Amino acid sequence: EKVMAPARVAGADALLINLGRAGECPEVELRFHAGWNLALLRPEVLGLCGSSLAFVRDVLGAFIDAEELEPARQTPAKTAARALDKALGSELLENRPSLHAQQQAFLRTAAQAGLVASGSLLSTLAGLERHYQGRPPRGLRVPLLRYAASRAFAERVRKLGLA
């Protein structure tokens, strides 16, 4: 179970907090979770990051002629994603990154927001480990470490008074 989760409740943005799990976290790690989840509340992000990519593809596939989508249902996941992109057509996906690339970009942004909110790289890494129930993906860790070493991060933390 997650410490916090972004959600839409009665048409409004909300953070759902698991009080039992939150009670296990130091305050600085809770700030990471709040920053991470607040960054994921945007409607375009919540739909993509709050669900598995397979689910998102299934939902998008519901809007496509079944005959066009049939090759996607009979192939491995990577090929299925390409078939779905082709079936969706250029008007929807023109000049847009893949669903996976968008999801990864949103998660990197959320990790950076959590890092700024906590002001602590160690607490951020601990929060990510708790969120992923183990080691977070390398695609999140490496960009986060680069960001933590940047002037932009140092300036944001200074402005928030966390340095």
Side-chain angles (χ1 to χ4, degrees), residues 61-114:
F63 295 98
I64 300 171
D65 180 18
E67 290 177 13
E68 292 179 46
L69 191 58
E70 197 54 37
R73 292 194 172 122
Q74 297 177 357
T75 57
K78 195 169 195 173
T79 307
R82 281 192 218 112
L84 176 62
D85 288 350
K86 182 178 178 184
L88 285 170
S90 61
E91 65 278 351
L92 184 60
L93 295 172
E94 190 171 317
N95 298 321
R96 301 223 30 198
S98 70
L99 293 175
H100 177 74
Q102 288 181 59
Q103 183 185 58
Q104 294 308 303
F106 291 146
L107 292 174
R108 284 191 302 272
T109 299
Q112 290 177 358

